[in-house]
Structure formats: structure tokens, C-alpha cells
């Protein structure tokens, strides 16, 4: 499981890096919000992988909060875009 | 009343899942928190006419899971391979006159499957505007969505909705 | 490795592969909507697969219940978030990728006010 965990975390790191590139490039706010949501989901996935690799569920609460924050952030930014433009 | 009960049970379940152990303390604290929430933020009362038919619901769920796996494979393949077969567009699909809750369910499932994204729901007549990634055949997408909706109505719809569905299908001559 | 571990490993690797595919799609696709297709959905499905794998691997009712909860919550909230961002982007005239656009023909969605008590 440690090997699998290491591979998984490396791949997630790459995915997070790609999302970061899109976050920086844009061009619109919606693009950045999608990238940020993807990044947060990657973080949550990383926490889950860590739980599997170490066998303890210490940070699972953080995972739930991160996933929820991703959702709430997306919805809030979406409403902002509607009202005031990208 | 029945809807309130459903909501209470669901919120209590989430609370207990969050805390992990189904102990007495969790139940009691959960009951307090749930009651405080429902009293402090009352939800709008909407008439609930849905009926749960377990077998049809499983059929619906199975159809959805199959579609989900298919669509994910297609989009993942699309992303990995070079060259691009995507042809995007937004199309309008007539909803089969079901209740708001059903249309919401179908819209959410459409959005969840990769390749389609519900952009807007309009009334009069009830329509869904869906953004599609591989728009090679509009009618095929329409048929897929309407099939999904028919399955949802058969699984969760009220008897009037099912009657309307039958009339609709007779009219189309299927 | 027990059978359960093998299944869990497969789920986890499949899930991270989906997340990676989502990341690649984020960079490759030319417009907002395609990027949303590519990024949010595989990421959510990937998280669900990873959480399932982790639930199989990690013991303890507390851990499993939290992982199951996250799967449930993502299943419910992700489509809503994607839909809202998509609607907002379209109402601001985002590029639909060159195909037909029946929503624009109908009259684009304007800003929506929150419905007050109904």
C-alpha cells in the first residue's frame, strides 16, 4: 500500500500542477474557478490517499471541509460572475 | 409532515456520519442541532407528489451508472489521445412535463455524466438547455435525455406524471 | 496483499488517473465549457473512486463513515456547482466552442435574483 500511495500522491501532484497552470493562465474568472475547484478536489483526494496509506483517518475531517469549501466557493463565484461580470 | 420527517432523518444521518460512532450522545446532540436548524431556517413548503418504486429506481440507477462509465471513458479517451473530435454546442430539450423535483434530478444527472452540462432550465414549456461536448447527432442526445427522463418518471413520478408520459409516448408513436 | 487491498489499490490508482486526466483536459481544451467537462467531472468521479478505495483499506467506522459521506456530498453538490458556473459563464457570453447555440437564440439568461420566501 505504501508503493501505491506514493504513486498515487505523485500523480495527484502532477494533476494539481496542471490545475495551477490553468489557474494562473485564465483567461476568464470562470476558468480560474474551475481550476480552483479541481485543485481543491485534488487536495481532498490526496487526503483520502494519505488515509489509505497510513491507515489512520486523522485528516478526513479536513477532506470533508475542503470538498465542501470547493462547492461553496464555486457557487459564490458563479453568482458573482452573473451579477458583476468576469 | 412526511417531508419534514425525511429531512430530519437525513440530517441526523449526516450528523452521525460526521461524528463516526452511532452513540447515544451523538444521537442526542444530533437531534438538538437538527431541530435548531429546522426551526431557525424553515424550508419552503412544496407539495410532494413523488412515489418511490424500488425496482424501477434500481433500473434507473443502473442505467445511470452504465451511462456514467461510458461517458467517462469517452471523455477520458478524448482528453488523452491527440487530435480532437469534439464539436460543442448548446441544444434545447423538451422536458416531459414532470414536476420540478424530477426535472432537477434529471438535470443533475445530465450534468454529472461527462460530456453534457445543463446550462439552463426554462418554463413554459419546460425545457432543458444542455451543453454537449460531442455534438455529432442532436437527435441522439435528445433521445438519450428523454429516455433518462422517462426512466426517472417511471421510478419516482406521481401517477399523473406516468399517465402524461404514456400519452406523450402514444402521441409520438413509439 | 489481501484481495481487499488489491481492489482498494485498483480503485485508488484508477481514481488518481481520472484526476490526472481531468488536469490534462483543463489545459488542452479551448474554452470554458469544455474545460468544465474535463475538470469537474473526472475530478469528482476520481475522488469518489479514491474514497471508495480508501474506505476499503482503512478500518474503523469513523473513517469509513466520513469517506462515505464525502462521496455522497460530492455526488450531490458537484453537478450544482458545475451548472451554476456554466450558467454564469454563458450569461456573460463565454465562447461555446463554435457550434450551434440554441440558448443564445432564446435570449441569454440574465442575472438571477434570489427567490425570497415562496
Amino acid at each position: 500500500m505504501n508503493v501505491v500511495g506514493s504513486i498515487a500522491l505523485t500523480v495527484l501532484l502532477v494533476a494539481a500542477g496542471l490545475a495551477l497552470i490553468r489557474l494562473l493562465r485564465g483567461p476568464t474568472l470562470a476558468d480560474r474557478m474551475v481550476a480552483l475547484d479541481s485543485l481543491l478536489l485534488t487536495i481532498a483526494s490526496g487526503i483520502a490517499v494519505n488515509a489509505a496509506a497510513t491507515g489512520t483517518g486523522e485528516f478526513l475531517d479536513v477532506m470533508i471541509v475542503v470538498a465542501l469549501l470547493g462547492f461553496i466557493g464555486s457557487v459564490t463565484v458563479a453568482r458573482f460572475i452573473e451579477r458583476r461580470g468576469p | 409532515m412526511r417531508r419534514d420527517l425525511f429531512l430530519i432523518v437525513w440530517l441526523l444521518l449526516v450528523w452521525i456520519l460526521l461524528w463516526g460512532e452511532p452513540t447515544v450522545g451523538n444521537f442526542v446532540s444530533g437531534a438538538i442541532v437538527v431541530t435548531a436548524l429546522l426551526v431557525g431556517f424553515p424550508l419552503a413548503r412544496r407539495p410532494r407528489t413523488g412515489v418511490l418504486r424500488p425496482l424501477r429506481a434500481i433500473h434507473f440507477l443502473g442505467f445511470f451508472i452504465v451511462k456514467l462509465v461510458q461517458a467517462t471513458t469517452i471523455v477520458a479517451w478524448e482528453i488523452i489521445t491527440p487530435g480532437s473530435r469534439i464539436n460543442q454546442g448548446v441544444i434545447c430539450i423538451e422536458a416531459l412535463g414532470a414536476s420540478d423535483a424530477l426535472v432537477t434530478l434529471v438535470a443533475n444527472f445530465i450534468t454529472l455524466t461527462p460530456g453534457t452540462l445543463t446550462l439552463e432550465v426554462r418554463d413554459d414549456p419546460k425545457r432543458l438547455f444542455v451543453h454537449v461536448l460531442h455534438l455529432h447527432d442532436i437527435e441522439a442526445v435528445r433521445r438519450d435525455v428523454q429516455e433518462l427522463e422517462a426512466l426517472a418518471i417511471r421510478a419516482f413520478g406521481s401517477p399523473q406524471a406516468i399517465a402524461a408520459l404514456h400519452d406523450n409516448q402514444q402521441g409520438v408513436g413509439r | 496483499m489481501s484481495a481487499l487491498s488489491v481492489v482498494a489499490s485498483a480503485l485508488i490508482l484508477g481514481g488518481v488517473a481520472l484526476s490526472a486526466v481531468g488536469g490534462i483536459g483543463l489545459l488542452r481544451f479551448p474554452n470554458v465549457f469544455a474545460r468544465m467537462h474535463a475538470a469537474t467531472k473526472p475530478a469528482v468521479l476520481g475522488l469518489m473512486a479514491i474514497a471508495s478505495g480508501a474506505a476499503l483499506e482503512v478500518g474503523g467506522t469513523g473513517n469509513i463513515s466520513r469517506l462515505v459521506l464525502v462521496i455522497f456530498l460530492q455526488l450531490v453538490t458537484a453537478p450544482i456547482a458545475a451548472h451554476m458556473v456554466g450558467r454564469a459563464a454563458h450569461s456573460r457570453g463565454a465562447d461555446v466552442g463554435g457550434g450551434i447555440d440554441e440558448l443564445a437564440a432564446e435570449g441569454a439568461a440574465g442575472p438571477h435574483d434570489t427567490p425570497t420566501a415562496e
Side-chain angles (χ1 to χ4, degrees):
Chain A
M1 187 38 78
N2 276 329
V3 176
V4 172
S6 306
I7 300 178
L9 285 177
T10 314
V11 173
L12 284 179
L13 186 65
V14 168
L18 296 175
L20 192 62
I21 295 181
R22 174 54 67 201
L23 185 63
L24 291 175
R25 269 216 207 150
T28 66
L29 183 54
D31 287 303
R32 297 199 166 99
M33 194 57 232
V34 171
L36 190 59
D37 193 33
S38 188
L39 192 58
L40 288 174
L41 286 179
T42 309
I43 293 177
S45 306
I47 296 180
V49 169
N50 176 59
T54 62
T56 69
E58 284 181 295
F59 298 105
L60 288 183
D61 292 324
V62 180
M63 171 180 73
I64 296 183
V65 170
V66 162
L68 286 180
L69 280 182
F71 163 65
I72 293 181
S74 296
V75 167
T76 308
V77 170
R79 285 170 58 125
F80 174 79
I81 294 180
E82 265 191 15
R83 285 172 196 277
R84 298 228 240 120
Chain B
M1 248 310 66
R2 204 181 60 181
R3 183 197 180 166
D4 267 352
L5 191 63
F6 176 74
L7 202 55
I8 292 177
V9 167
W10 163 245
L11 286 176
L12 202 56
L13 182 66
V14 171
W15 178 264
I16 291 183
L17 278 179
L18 271 176
W19 281 101
E21 323 280 326
T23 67
V24 175
N26 284 342
F27 263 104
V28 169
S29 59
I32 295 177
V33 169
V34 166
T35 326
L37 269 179
L38 288 181
V39 164
F41 300 99
L43 281 187
R45 294 268 177 275
R46 268 186 210 270
R48 285 263 282 197
T49 57
V51 176
L52 177 61
R53 297 179 189 83
L55 278 182
R56 298 280 192 184
I58 295 182
H59 184 193
F60 176 59
L61 207 60
F63 179 77
F64 171 63
I65 290 181
V66 165
K67 254 194 97 188
L68 192 62
V69 171
Q70 266 182 340
T72 315
T73 334
I74 293 179
V75 171
W77 192 246
E78 175 65 49
I79 292 181
I80 299 181
T81 59
S84 159
R85 281 170 300 272
I86 63 176
N87 178 29
Q88 305 176 41
V90 178
I91 63 178
C92 171
I93 304 177
E94 300 269 333
L96 295 175
S99 67
D100 275 347
L102 266 174
V103 170
T104 308
L105 182 67
V106 171
N108 274 358
F109 273 6
I110 291 178
T111 309
L112 199 51
T113 57
T116 49
L117 175 72
T118 310
L119 278 185
E120 178 77 45
V121 178
R122 290 262 169 92
D123 280 330
D124 282 329
K126 242 189 186 53
R127 305 160 283 174
L128 287 167
F129 288 92
V130 175
H131 175 271
V132 182
L133 202 56
H134 289 97
L135 192 60
H136 297 298
D137 184 1
I138 300 183
E139 283 308 313
V141 177
R142 280 219 177 95
R143 265 179 285 131
D144 265 347
V145 170
Q146 282 174 338
E147 182 178 355
L148 190 68
E149 206 175 343
L151 280 176
I153 292 182
R154 288 222 179 81
F156 304 113
S158 64
Q160 298 105 314
I162 296 198
L165 180 65
H166 271 275
D167 292 337
N168 221 318
Q169 288 187 332
Q170 306 290 13
V172 169
R174 274 207 242 172
Chain C
M1 284 218 293
S2 64
L4 211 59
S5 264
V6 170
V7 172
S9 305
L11 276 175
I12 290 181
L13 287 179
V16 301
L18 273 179
S19 291
V21 159
I24 299 177
L26 253 189
L27 280 185
R28 256 196 85 184
F29 282 158
N31 72 326
V32 171
F33 297 105
R35 286 172 195 156
M36 219 173 327
H37 282 290
T40 56
K41 281 172 267 193
V44 167
L45 297 170
L47 178 59
M48 294 198 320
I50 295 177
S52 313
L56 286 178
E57 178 72 23
V58 170
T61 51
N63 300 332
I64 295 185
S65 70
R66 276 177 289 180
L67 286 165
V68 165
L69 189 62
V70 107
I71 293 177
F72 230 162
L73 287 178
Q74 276 304 303
L75 203 54
V76 171
T77 60
I80 300 177
H83 164 257
M84 288 199 68
V85 175
R87 193 170 79 166
H90 189 273
S91 80
R92 285 295 155 185
D95 169 33
V96 186
I100 62 174
D101 191 347
E102 298 186 3
L103 182 54
E106 293 269 340
H112 288 253
D113 293 331
T114 338
T116 50
E118 320 185 35

